[in-house]
Amino acid sequence: MNAGVAQTESNGQRPDPSDPYQRMAQTFPVLAPEMLTRVIAFGHAESLPDGAMLFERGERSVDFFLCLEGGIEVLESDDEGARHVVHTHTPGQFTGELDLFNDRKILVTGRAKPGSRVLRVKRRDFQRLIAAEPDIGEIIMRAFILRRVGLMLHEQGGVTLIGPGHSANTVRIETFLTRNGYPHRRIDTETDVDAGGFLECFELTAEDLPVVVCERHALRNPGNAALADALGLTVAIDPDHVHDLVVVGAGPAGLAAAVYAASEGLDTAVIEGIAPGGQAGTSSKIENYLGFPTGISGQALAGRAQVQAQKFGAKLLVARGATGIDCSDVPFVVMLEDAKSVKARAVVVATGARYRKLDLPRYCELEGSGIYYAATAMEAGLCADTEVVVIGGGNSAGQAAVFLARTVKHVHILVRGPGLVETMSSYLIDRIEASDRITLHPYCQVTALEGERHLKAVSWTEKDGAEHRLEVGGLFVMIGAAPNTKWLDGCVDLDTQGFVLTGEGVSPFCSSKPGIFAVGDVRSGSVKRVASGVGEGSVVVSAIHKYLEGLRV
């Protein structure tokens, strides 16, 4: 049946992904004989002794293997370091998942079964295979994506996060892991009966929490950069190498610029301080994005876009945000948080904007411990069966309210103005009005927060002076936008609010400094929509080509 799937797809007919058997066939397809012949041209066959290791967890830049005879066992390691078989590739099946498109440490181990014979395709030849055989590349790409989804869903091949579920640092670490697509499981020390045993096993105390356990090594409350280094999410940077283009920011606009630039042959690197997706990456469901009639989560959209960019050869550097730029000469030098730097002939500023914060006592103390800026499944789980408050009247606030209403007791939307008509899409307004679990409170302003280690209650005042106090499980703040442009440090002209002014030179996306472009939410006057950001990121590449051609003259 699996071989039939590969052949059917090559004829343009797609299987039904809702069928679990066909989904398994897409995850572990058996290539049709005609496809095997074409793949063989990119590698060389090897006969392997029983138990030979093809690759081991933690390695980088591993090869692609196609099973010809025998079998290849894929193993994961648990917290005790013991290995377990999660799948066995049979003849016609291939190894690998998304880490074959980048230089991150792989998550699993591959071991040969008795009498195995494989086709080894070197990394550089694997890239040629994907480019030269697009129908086979489509099958491989889909399989890799589904395998990563499976690892995430079944918490395989990753790490264990141990800590109190409502702790700001636990939330921070889980957000980082989730948004970077890193498999993990969480043991909540507030509710999980297994937590005590884990703490004893690794000789941990409550003061050590949260910790990340990876193959018997415990990282005590690691920062995002340290965690990325330990898990192999970071890739090596050559400070002397000059890229054609560096994109700063991996939101929709930045990822679109990277996809189009890399696909057109530009040596492209993307710098991202936290994880791909930007603000859009925190959206539970985007329903008005062209081509997705049933909607798509911001994280899923960003995940597909980053794989697409890496497929074409773009490098993605996460957990290393930009801290400054030397634009006095070309190549430009972008400084990073770890005192390293990246050189480029052209730079796209796609750092977007962040939600503004409330000016209230205790606010900073409670960020991440009841005060959130995203409404994903993680936050919804933390707030289950409680009442929550969403502040903001834009689409992000509306999407959050609709999503949260499925699992919380009640959602209260607070806005300073008269309503939502001026700021929110009508489809979201209709859903909010139709829900008996969402209440809109116009002309309101939050005045107080209560709670020690976690937010417990919110107070607000209405236009007529009436005051209300509500015990809540979470406060979701989605108000206004402050541009992420501090790192530019006077290199380009900004408007009075700090957004990048554009329109100079050959493109509406050129900044006041030739060679530095701005797209998406960070650009002054831009339309703050995902589709708009993607459009700007794709269109700016033509102007980059013209600029680079001018440098060569």
Side-chain angles (χ1 to χ4, degrees):
M1 184 180 82
N2 291 349
V5 171
Q7 290 176 315
T8 301
E9 287 202 350
S10 69
N11 293 329
Q13 298 177 358
R14 299 185 182 280
D16 179 7
S18 64
D19 185 328
Y21 294 102
Q22 291 188 351
R23 188 176 182 86
M24 180 61 70
Q26 289 180 307
T27 307
F28 301 105
V30 176
L31 296 181
E34 175 270 331
M35 291 184 174
L36 289 175
T37 301
R38 285 188 278 152
V39 174
I40 287 172
F42 291 87
H44 64 276
E46 298 179 3
S47 295
L48 302 173
D50 180 17
M53 292 298 181
L54 300 178
F55 48 85
E56 296 209 43
R57 176 180 175 138
E59 292 182 348
R60 298 180 188 264
S61 301
V62 300
D63 296 330
F64 174 85
F65 294 92
L66 175 67
C67 183
L68 300 176
E69 298 175 15
I72 303 172
E73 294 178 326
V74 177
L75 307 98
E76 67 150 344
S77 301
D78 61 22
D79 294 317
E80 302 296 324
R83 289 172 169 173
H84 308 277
V85 176
V86 295
H87 180 74
T88 300
H89 293 294
T90 56
Q93 293 186 332
F94 50 83
T95 65
E97 55 106 30
L98 291 179
D99 285 338
L100 256 74
F101 287 112
N102 52 52
D103 198 34
R104 295 179 176 179
K105 291 181 180 179
I106 61 170
L107 302 174
V108 292
T109 296
R111 183 175 64 193
K113 294 192 69 177
S116 292
R117 190 166 165 270
V118 302
L119 181 80
R120 179 191 293 266
V121 180
K122 296 289 187 179
R123 176 66 71 97
R124 61 181 180 277
D125 296 319
F126 173 72
Q127 295 288 349
R128 288 198 305 113
L129 166 65
I130 296 298
E133 306 290 348
D135 58 333
I136 299 175
E138 181 181 350
I139 295 171
I140 292 173
M141 176 72 75
R142 181 178 296 111
F144 283 6
I145 292 173
L146 290 174
R147 290 174 189 179
R148 177 54 65 98
V149 170
L151 290 174
M152 293 284 291
L153 182 64
H154 299 293
E155 302 172 347
Q156 293 173 323
V159 297
T160 300
L161 170 61
I162 309 172
H166 290 93
S167 160
N169 281 316
T170 303
V171 171
R172 171 185 59 79
I173 292 172
E174 184 162 24
T175 298
F176 180 81
L177 293 171
T178 300
R179 292 190 59 191
N180 279 288
Y182 200 92
H184 65 280
R185 65 167 174 148
R186 174 166 60 90
I187 296 180
D188 188 344
T189 55
E190 295 174 340
T191 61
D192 201 311
V193 294
D194 293 332
F198 265 88
L199 294 181
E200 291 179 9
C201 177
F202 291 96
E203 299 180 350
L204 299 170
T205 66
E207 287 69 31
D208 295 318
L209 302 179
V211 297
V212 177
V213 177
C214 178
E215 295 190 283
R216 296 197 61 79
H217 296 291
L219 304 173
R220 291 166 170 79
N221 192 20
N224 289 349
L227 182 58
D229 289 342
L231 300 182
L233 295 178
T234 49
V235 297
I237 301 172
D238 181 356
D240 296 321
H241 177 73
V242 179
H243 297 83
D244 292 322
L245 176 66
V246 163
V247 180
V248 186
L255 288 172
V259 167
Y260 280 84
S263 69
E264 294 177 16
L266 296 183
D267 181 350
T268 304
V270 185
I271 298 170
E272 171 54 48
I274 301 177
Q279 276 193 19
T282 66
S283 297
S284 53
K285 182 177 281 192
I286 303 169
E287 294 190 66
N288 59 351
Y289 188 71
L290 187 66
F292 294 91
T294 60
I296 183 170
S297 72
Q299 184 179 337
L301 184 65
R304 295 182 184 191
Q306 72 161 316
V307 172
Q308 201 171 8
Q310 291 173 331
K311 167 189 171 183
F312 291 120
K315 288 185 177 180
L316 179 62
L317 314 177
V318 299
R320 293 295 188 276
T323 58
I325 183 171
D326 181 354
C327 59
S328 59
D329 198 4
V330 178
F332 304 115
V333 182
V334 179
M335 276 72 78
L336 307 181
E337 289 174 342
D338 57 0
K340 294 181 180 179
S341 60
V342 181
K343 292 182 179 179
R345 297 178 180 89
V347 173
V348 167
V349 180
T351 41
R354 61 188 181 278
Y355 291 120
R356 297 186 186 276
K357 301 181 180 182
L358 299 176
D359 184 14
L360 290 170
R362 310 288 325 285
Y363 187 88
C364 292
E365 299 172 44
L366 295 171
E367 280 186 286
S369 295
I371 297 178
Y372 309 112
Y373 302 97
T376 67
M378 182 182 70
E379 289 85 8
L382 293 173
C383 300
D385 299 322
T386 68
E387 296 195 58
V388 300
V389 170
V390 175
I391 304 178
N395 275 12
S396 294
Q399 291 162 353
V402 171
F403 176 71
L404 291 167
R406 298 186 304 179
T407 54
V408 304
K409 187 182 297 184
H410 201 85
V411 179
H412 300 267
I413 302 178
L414 273 58
V415 293
R416 290 191 174 189
L420 304 173
V421 175
E422 299 289 329
T423 55
M424 189 179 292
S425 296
S426 60
Y427 82 93
L428 286 170
I429 296 175
D430 292 342
R431 291 189 180 179
I432 289 169
E433 291 178 345
S435 175
D436 59 2
R437 302 180 75 173
I438 305 176
T439 300
L440 174 65
H441 302 268
Y443 298 112
C444 289
Q445 184 172 348
V446 175
T447 53
L449 307 172
E450 298 177 31
E452 292 302 323
R453 295 187 176 182
H454 186 270
L455 180 69
K456 295 299 183 184
V458 172
S459 297
W460 69 84
T461 303
E462 295 186 355
K463 185 179 182 180
D464 60 6
E467 297 183 354
H468 298 271
R469 178 186 178 277
L470 181 69
E471 293 188 359
V472 297
L475 173 65
F476 295 81
V477 182
M478 299 174 174
I479 55 171
N484 293 313
T485 53
K486 185 177 180 181
W487 66 277
L488 290 169
D489 195 25
C491 187
V492 300
D493 292 342
L494 309 177
D495 66 14
T496 55
Q497 293 180 305
F499 293 90
V500 179
L501 288 167
T502 58
E504 303 291 333
V506 297
S507 165
F509 309 113
C510 290
S511 73
S512 59
K513 181 71 177 182
I516 298 182
F517 304 80
V519 294
D521 288 0
V522 77
R523 189 177 69 83
S524 179
S526 66
V527 177
K528 306 301 190 272
R529 288 287 188 271
V530 173
S532 176
V534 171
E536 292 188 10
S538 59
V539 172
V540 73
V541 176
S542 62
I544 294 169
H545 277 296
K546 292 179 181 178
Y547 168 76
L548 292 175
E549 288 170 5
L551 291 181
R552 300 186 187 103
V553 175

